[in-house]
Amino acid sequence: MISREEFWRLFRFGLVGGGATLVDLGTSIALFHTWPTISEHWVTTIAFMIAFWFSFFGHRYITFQKQGAIGKFLLVALFSLAVRNLILSGLLFAGLSGLLPVVIATLTVTVLTYLLSRIWVFA
């Protein structure tokens, strides 16, 4: 059973992570609409770079309420991006295309990001 404190931390993580995901997916949608020939890998990378800052400051000030180490957070984020791109590649290879595989890959790495942030970045 998780403590009350951990429950609220997870809740705040969901809010900040949800906001960062909306920034990420909103950027992805905007990129697909303004540049229809862009590859899914470019979309996910550009969207990641924009959402990174929203995520870091949101987790610093809202989720964990600790200073955190931006270098460690960047490593976690880059690792998550690599995993996300591996998942994306698998989905593209399986025949999916467009926004759907980007959404699936993005949502899949959420748990990984929380665990690494909680244990290492904002410890």
Side-chain angles (χ1 to χ4, degrees):
M1 182 171 221
I2 64 171
S3 69
R4 184 173 213 201
E5 179 183 343
E6 190 65 24
F7 170 81
W8 287 112
R9 186 176 297 112
L10 282 165
F11 180 78
R12 291 188 308 266
F13 178 84
L15 290 177
V16 171
T21 300
L22 288 175
V23 168
D24 193 305
L25 294 176
T27 302
S28 297
I29 291 167
L31 286 168
F32 275 123
H33 279 23
T34 58
W35 192 2
T37 59
I38 192 170
S39 78
E40 288 87 353
H41 286 288
W42 274 111
V43 167
T44 197
T45 301
I46 293 167
F48 158 82
M49 290 188 295
I50 293 169
F52 171 82
W53 294 105
F54 180 96
S55 182
F56 177 73
F57 288 110
H59 289 314
R60 172 187 271 184
Y61 294 111
I62 297 170
T63 304
F64 299 105
Q65 300 170 355
K66 292 183 178 179
Q67 186 70 17
I70 194 161
K72 288 181 178 180
F73 191 76
L74 179 61
L75 287 175
V76 167
L78 290 172
F79 178 70
S80 296
L81 177 64
V83 171
R84 181 168 130 182
N85 274 308
L86 284 172
I87 294 167
L88 178 61
S89 293
L91 294 169
L92 293 171
F93 182 76
L96 295 176
S97 64
L99 189 60
L100 180 60
V102 172
V103 171
I104 292 169
T106 300
L107 296 177
T108 303
V109 299
T110 302
V111 173
L112 174 67
T113 302
Y114 176 78
L115 291 174
L116 292 173
S117 294
R118 173 83 171 97
I119 293 167
W120 191 49
V121 178
F122 296 97

